[in-house]
Amino acid sequence: MENQFQQTNTNEIELLAFRLGEQEYCLDIMSVREIRGWSKATPIPFSPSRQWRNQPKGNSAARS
């Protein structure tokens, strides 16, 4: 069976594109170890709570 996915141009790369909030990112797929589905974050004891969705838009200083 012939391989359908033969690379025709050695200068081509595959990118993984994703969005965090309103910001978009791309990574070379060869730098990705695994792709996992979303899961709820584990809370860390005695850490301050973060409420990202309640922050005003454009207020990056509040997110650091």
Side-chain angles (χ1 to χ4, degrees), residues 20-59:
L20 293 175
E22 294 181 15
Q23 191 71 33
E24 295 180 5
Y25 300 90
C26 289
L27 295 172
D28 182 345
I29 195 73
M30 296 307 290
S31 67
V32 176
R33 185 178 306 171
E34 67 179 309
I35 299 173
R36 299 180 56 164
W38 183 87
S39 61
K40 189 173 179 179
T42 302
I44 300 173
F46 308 109
S47 65
S49 64
R50 300 279 185 178
Q51 297 192 6
W52 300 99
R53 295 184 188 270
N54 295 335
Q55 296 290 338
K57 285 188 177 182
N59 189 356

Side-chain angles (χ1 to χ4, degrees), residues 7-16 26-31:
Q7 190 170 5
T8 58
N9 184 348
T10 58
N11 294 328
E12 292 179 1
I13 61 171
E14 290 184 88
L15 298 174
L16 171 67
C26 289
L27 295 172
D28 182 345
I29 195 73
M30 296 307 290
S31 67

